[in-house]
Amino acid sequence: RDGQDIEMVSDYTTWESKDGLKLRFRLRQTTEDAVTSELSGTASLPHAGAAGVAKYDMPPDTTKTLPPGTLFPMAHTEALLQAARAGKKFIALPLFDGTSPDGAQDSAVAITGWDKPAANKYPVLADLPSTRVHIAFFDRGKHAQVPDYEVGMRYWANGIADDLSMDFGDFVMHGALTSLSLPAKP
């Protein structure tokens, strides 16, 4: 508002096993080329629904217990899509994505329905049903009544999202899908 431009860059990379039981993560944030935050490590669950553990390389020697039922990002997205397909309007799940040194967060997801396929500028999405969701993320340790941040978006049945709105309280960011190319199937 005061006319000052600030460049903030956030690089986030993850790898998640297909069974949803292992995650590698790395987050690096810079402001005006100075590193302001850096997280990296691995997380694992012995089996679906079990408590797990996150072991951080950055910050060094940090380990967090993950509560039973914790999901990693892709498994969280799949659970959200399954709930939408089943006609559920609300789900609450613990999520660990490696973006916080505090471990898992609680997520509360409001689901608006399961929409039929509709015309779309991306042909690969035009034949797919979709849902709109609003996700509120809460710090587990504080038992807060107000979320740390909120995200709204549309998800298609294949997990692609667009029409993104991220509300961090002090500011809101909007995102739009501007290009889409899918890799060839192996």
Side-chain angles (χ1 to χ4, degrees):
R1 293 182 185 166
D2 64 4
Q4 181 183 7
D5 288 337
I6 297 173
E7 182 177 296
M8 297 170 62
V9 177
S10 181
D11 292 317
Y12 174 61
T13 305
T14 63
W15 172 88
E16 186 174 333
S17 63
K18 283 188 178 187
D19 63 6
L21 300 179
K22 292 182 177 25
L23 176 75
R24 287 193 308 255
F25 59 92
R26 178 173 159 69
L27 172 69
R28 183 177 177 158
Q29 295 177 320
T30 59
T31 302
E32 299 296 329
D33 296 325
V35 176
T36 54
S37 178
E38 195 164 12
L39 300 169
S40 65
T42 60
S44 62
L45 305 167
H47 57 81
V53 65
K55 296 179 182 180
Y56 292 80
D57 303 321
M58 291 293 292
D61 302 320
T62 302
T63 300
K64 297 289 181 179
T65 300
L66 303 177
T70 296
L71 298 175
F72 298 140
M74 295 308 297
H76 187 268
T77 298
E78 182 57 32
L80 181 156
L81 291 171
Q82 286 178 5
R85 280 185 203 103
K88 293 184 179 179
K89 299 296 182 193
F90 181 81
I91 59 172
L93 302 165
L95 168 70
F96 180 79
D97 61 5
T99 60
S100 168
D102 300 325
Q105 298 175 294
D106 285 325
S107 72
V109 184
I111 304 167
T112 64
W114 192 240
D115 300 329
K116 294 179 180 178
N120 191 287
K121 70 179 186 176
Y122 302 108
V124 70
L125 301 178
D127 295 331
L128 298 175
S130 64
T131 185
R132 291 195 179 272
V133 299
H134 188 89
I135 309 171
F137 296 93
F138 297 86
D139 182 337
R140 287 188 63 80
K142 295 179 185 174
H143 303 291
Q145 298 297 313
V146 177
D148 293 335
Y149 63 98
E150 300 173 68
V151 177
M153 70 191 89
R154 177 176 43 189
Y155 267 122
W156 272 272
N158 62 0
I160 292 175
D162 82 340
D163 197 17
L164 177 71
S165 176
M166 300 175 74
D167 184 344
F168 294 97
D170 295 337
F171 64 96
V172 177
M173 296 187 329
H174 295 282
L177 185 61
T178 58
S179 68
L180 175 62
S181 60
L182 298 179
K185 291 185 179 181

